[in-house]
Amino acid sequence: MSEPRRQELLRRLPSVDELLRSGLVRPWLERLPRRLVVGAVRRVLDRTRRTILRAPESELVSDGELDAHLERELERALREVGSYRLRPVINATGVVLHTGLGRAPLARVALQNIGRVASGYCSLEVDLDTGSRGRRTGIVRDLLCELTGAESATVVNNNAAATLITLATLAAGKEVIVSRGELIEIGGSFRLPEIMAASGARLREVGTTNKTRLADYEGAIGPETGALLKVHTSNYRILGFTEAVPLEQLVRLGRRHNLPVVDDIGSGALLDLSRFGLTGEPVASHSVRSGADLVLFSGDKLLGGPQAGIIVGRKAWIEKIERHPLARAFRVGKLTLAALEATLRLYMDEEQALREVPALRMISEPDTVVRARAERLRRFLGGVDGLEWVELAQDTAYVGGGAVPAQGLLTWTVRVRAKSLPEDGLAARLRTGDPSVLARVQDGCVIFDARTLNDSEVELVAEAVKLALQPRADAP
Ligand SMILES: *Cc1c(COP(=O)(O)O)cnc(C)c1O
């Protein structure tokens, strides 16, 4: 092989037009906009040309290999432009609120309500009785007050926005006192000190990482103080020699000094989940009852609704927050409100919420039910060629999304090992398959957790495994 061989390969590359007329590409022109197909073809040709130019001489391919390579790459590129980038996936990871997978799946009524409301016009900001213009957040205000016992409520884009606008409204240019044990980071981009800085409030840290006493807060209060902030340490726990100030005491201190007390509870459970073994997760209504002036939480964590930041508490503060210029920047759209209203209505009947809010169902499902689902999956997988072994195992699932980090949920999994594919190879094929399946990889196995699957997904997972194990030319 020599330099002329490289030139020969480049000459052999077909043109975009030739490919568009070829039997491989032409059928795609009937299914997809020409612009998408041309773009994909062009990218494959460019990539291949670069590969030929850069490849060491010894690796230059034969003509036949070049054709096969092009065919494979075109097929892949066309399939890719032909499908959505945001795709549904089957979550077999056992992490219920998986931020990478979109956190809480929505309840069926929430989806129906989005369809009902968003395919045409809707009463987003118009009071249909009077015809007057109002605030869109009024749509969920009464429900949130009813469910949390608060005087008033509002909704913004997410809990990070809720924290930012609350601090900006209450304490811009002033100090906000926070325990050093509560300076949290949630998933990289939410770091409390940075949110504080962006709000224009100044962080006044008190106490130490493991111990903060009431006297520490009290000693820091002065003419510059704008608010007292308590933050739930959602994604970590400080254990051992520790001390923190209960909300009730902080509230009493705030009252004495005429300072608002803000409680960022993070996950925002509307129900007490301790009966399902999840303890230490604050419940919104408890926080309100303890006297916090404002309570902040996410809509898509334990509440099980759409991404949103919910602020409940004193009417006067909520009104001020809604008048802040950031309210417009952080406001939620009609899709969010449609999903949130429907989800909150489910909570008017606790049992219904546990059945129909998917995140709650997964968390509260008895392990006998989870085990039966795992057994069904094992039976399906037992018949799949290419698996070396298939095994039922008890394991631990997690709530995720920065909630109850130290406590797992008892769960049942199916562990598999393929005969001729390493575990991460199998996991990669499952991830890129259709439907895409995300599983855990551990101890040399691929592990499917039945707690985050629903009954209709069991057979789909088995089918996906079967497909992933079929021999293929372009094995990764
Ligand atoms: C998750 C969390 C946040 C961030 O909420 P998002 O809705 O993801 O913006 C803020 N504070 C606490 C305590 C949290 O747990």
Side-chain angles (χ1 to χ4, degrees):
M1 299 261 187
S2 62
E3 214 43 42
R5 173 71 194 132
R6 201 186 298 275
Q7 295 306 321
E8 169 60 22
L9 279 173
L10 288 174
R11 257 195 308 277
R12 277 193 56 87
L13 275 183
S15 68
V16 173
D17 280 332
E18 279 169 313
L19 283 175
L20 290 176
R21 286 192 301 268
S22 71
L24 182 71
V25 179
R26 209 175 343 104
W28 287 90
L29 284 168
E30 281 156 34
R31 271 182 277 159
L32 294 177
R34 186 178 176 83
R35 186 167 170 174
L36 281 180
V37 177
V38 172
V41 168
R42 207 165 260 147
R43 276 192 300 279
V44 168
L45 281 174
D46 286 349
R47 242 185 349 247
T48 310
R49 195 171 293 119
R50 275 198 305 274
T51 309
I52 295 172
L53 285 169
R54 283 189 203 142
E57 294 237 6
S58 58
E59 283 173 27
L60 290 172
V61 296
S62 71
D63 293 354
E65 281 168 325
L66 178 67
D67 292 344
H69 169 86
L70 266 181
E71 225 167 89
R72 229 173 21 239
E73 290 295 303
L74 282 168
E75 185 79 41
R76 204 200 305 259
L78 288 163
R79 244 203 319 262
E80 197 174 296
V81 295
S83 50
Y84 286 101
R85 293 294 286 268
L86 187 56
R87 298 178 209 169
V89 311
I90 294 178
N91 177 11
T93 64
V95 179
V96 177
L97 300 169
H98 195 303
T99 301
L101 304 183
R103 285 202 188 150
L106 293 178
R108 203 170 37 219
V109 287
L111 295 171
Q112 284 165 348
N113 206 33
I114 290 175
R116 194 177 65 87
V117 147
S119 52
Y121 298 99
C122 61
S123 58
L124 185 61
E125 292 185 347
V126 175
D127 180 330
L128 296 179
D129 286 331
T130 62
S132 63
R133 237 358 230 282
R135 269 189 212 284
R136 59 182 63 194
T137 47
I139 292 167
V140 288
R141 191 165 356 256
D142 289 348
L143 280 164
L144 286 168
C145 291
E146 171 79 25
L147 291 166
T148 63
E151 263 174 40
S152 189
T154 191
V155 183
V156 291
N157 179 60
N158 57 12
N159 195 21
T163 310
L164 184 48
I165 194 172
T166 299
L167 295 174
T169 305
L170 270 59
K174 294 187 167 176
E175 285 183 355
V176 175
I177 304 177
V178 192
S179 159
R180 286 204 168 85
E182 298 175 357
L183 296 175
I184 61 164
E185 168 173 321
I186 307 268
S189 51
F190 181 101
R191 303 182 103 188
L192 193 69
E194 289 166 17
I195 297 272
M196 186 82 77
S199 76
R202 289 195 306 280
L203 175 63
R204 179 71 189 267
E205 306 172 28
V206 294
T208 61
T209 304
N210 55 327
K211 283 211 174 208
T212 303
R213 301 184 181 85
L214 193 63
D216 296 322
Y217 288 92
E218 193 149 23
I221 293 178
E224 291 290 287
T225 311
L228 307 179
L229 172 64
K230 191 167 178 60
V231 185
H232 179 51
T233 56
S234 297
N235 51 4
Y236 65 97
R237 290 283 182 271
I238 296 178
L239 303 172
F241 188 59
T242 66
E243 196 171 329
V245 178
L247 180 62
E248 292 81 355
Q249 287 185 26
L250 213 54
V251 166
R252 253 179 272 140
L253 182 66
R255 297 263 162 85
R256 243 187 350 242
H257 293 270
N258 204 16
L259 290 169
V261 174
V262 179
D263 192 15
D264 173 5
I265 62 171
S267 284
L270 291 179
L271 306 178
D272 188 346
L273 297 173
S274 54
R275 64 178 146 141
F276 306 112
L278 299 178
T279 52
E281 198 55 43
V283 181
S285 58
H286 297 179
S287 201
V288 170
R289 207 178 316 133
S290 298
D293 294 278
L294 291 167
V295 181
L296 322 178
F297 51 96
S298 297
D300 56 354
K301 291 186 182 170
L302 286 174
L303 194 154
Q307 180 189 304
I310 297 171
I311 308 173
V312 304
R314 302 249 174 259
K315 190 158 181 262
W317 286 121
I318 298 284
E319 279 173 3
K320 260 188 116 166
I321 288 171
E322 292 202 320
R323 282 196 303 271
H324 194 283
L326 282 175
R328 175 57 187 261
F330 293 161
R331 81 174 182 190
V332 290
K334 59 189 173 186
L335 306 187
T336 299
L337 285 166
L340 187 58
E341 184 183 12
T343 306
L344 291 172
R345 284 173 74 101
L346 290 173
Y347 278 91
M348 299 310 266
D349 175 351
E350 207 166 286
E351 292 310 312
Q352 189 181 26
L354 289 172
R355 263 194 326 270
E356 295 186 30
V357 175
L360 290 185
R361 180 197 51 81
M362 290 181 222
I363 288 166
S364 64
E365 203 163 53
D367 73 297
T368 47
V369 178
V370 178
R371 183 183 174 140
R373 186 179 301 123
E375 277 174 351
R376 201 156 75 82
L377 179 59
R378 182 186 54 179
R379 276 198 302 280
F380 276 121
L381 289 174
V384 174
D385 270 348
L387 285 179
E388 190 183 324
W389 54 259
V390 179
E391 192 180 273
L392 190 77
Q394 203 182 73
D395 208 325
T396 306
Y398 290 94
V399 171
V404 267
Q407 296 169 61
L409 299 160
L410 175 62
T411 193
W412 289 88
T413 61
V414 180
R415 301 173 152 239
V416 306
R417 188 170 287 171
K419 283 178 191 148
S420 57
L421 195 61
E423 65 276 15
D424 42 359
L426 176 56
R429 285 197 191 173
L430 288 167
R431 211 173 50 238
T432 52
D434 182 19
S436 169
V437 177
L438 274 84
R440 283 209 292 277
V441 176
Q442 207 182 305
D443 313 329
C445 324
V446 174
I447 303 173
F448 304 100
D449 192 318
R451 190 167 281 281
T452 49
L453 294 175
N454 62 44
D455 289 333
S456 62
E457 288 171 335
V458 169
E459 213 168 335
L460 294 173
V461 170
E463 281 301 311
V465 173
K466 200 186 286 178
L467 210 66
L469 291 173
Q470 270 166 14
R472 54 173 87 178
D474 59 340

